[in-house]
Amino acid sequence: MAVEGMDRLRARFRALPKEIRQAVRDEMERAAEDYVALMRRLAPRGKSGKLAASIGWTWGDAPSGAIVVQQMYGDGPTNIDMRITIFAGSDEVFYARFVEFGTRAHALALNASVERGKRQDQGGWHPGATAQPFFFPAVRAKKRTTTRRINATAVKAARRIWGG
């Protein structure tokens, strides 16, 4: 005895993961853009503006030299296909973490920045820098809303497939 409509039911179950994944990916991209825009607004403006310009997002791993600020997983932490990484800094903008977290007082004698041509062999003392956080305030401000939006997007996609 065959159940009526079983083929249609199976087709809906097969379509569900693909439709939901695409809807969630699109929403994750929108959320990443929101994070980056807020972080760039909160980033302190220096003479060059390179710090704010170095803030971005990508699918998968962050570029070389960047620090990872936040990762969003749409399908579990092991699935790179559904992982967005929000980052700041680069090989050139190495100081993003120092701005975010600040530094403590430290000696300048024979600093390790020789590769960058900024050797300080005169000695001296740096009083430290006050933290000017811009990453984590943005994460705290957006995290709950982002989670809700992504969950709602998945439910909406499922309802669209099931016609409910």
Side-chain angles (χ1 to χ4, degrees):
M1 181 168 139
V3 177
E4 205 172 305
M6 189 56 88
D7 291 336
R8 184 171 165 228
L9 181 64
R10 284 191 185 117
R12 283 183 172 179
F13 271 119
R14 280 192 301 273
L16 192 63
K18 182 180 173 188
E19 293 287 330
I20 290 175
R21 284 173 63 88
Q22 188 57 51
V24 168
R25 280 180 67 90
D26 293 344
E27 187 58 40
M28 287 173 67
E29 287 181 2
R30 281 190 288 278
E33 289 292 338
D34 289 348
Y35 272 104
V36 168
L38 180 56
M39 288 176 188
R40 285 181 177 166
R41 282 194 307 272
L42 295 176
R45 298 284 178 227
K47 293 176 187 173
S48 68
K50 290 181 181 178
L51 177 60
S54 75
I55 300 169
W57 69 271
T58 185
W59 286 102
D61 296 325
S64 172
I67 60 170
V68 174
V69 179
Q70 175 77 359
Q71 290 186 324
M72 291 187 286
Y73 299 97
D75 195 24
T78 58
N79 189 345
I80 288 182
D81 184 44
M82 292 289 284
R83 183 181 77 201
I84 283 185
T85 302
I86 301 171
F87 61 88
S90 63
D91 289 331
E92 184 181 351
V93 187
F94 61 91
Y95 50 85
R97 65 182 50 112
F98 305 139
V99 174
E100 175 74 10
F101 300 111
T103 61
R104 65 179 185 206
H106 56 278
L108 297 175
L110 300 175
N111 196 323
S113 59
V114 175
E115 298 92 33
R116 294 189 307 272
K118 299 188 190 310
R119 184 180 180 114
Q120 295 137 340
D121 55 3
Q122 297 299 316
W125 190 257
H126 189 285
T130 304
Q132 299 176 47
F134 56 98
F135 296 173
F136 291 105
V139 170
R140 284 190 295 274
K142 296 249 177 226
K143 191 170 188 173
R144 183 175 288 152
T145 304
T146 300
T147 302
R148 274 194 230 129
R149 281 175 40 191
I150 290 171
N151 288 340
T153 299
V155 169
K156 195 175 186 180
R159 286 184 178 150
R160 193 172 47 246
I161 291 166
W162 287 95

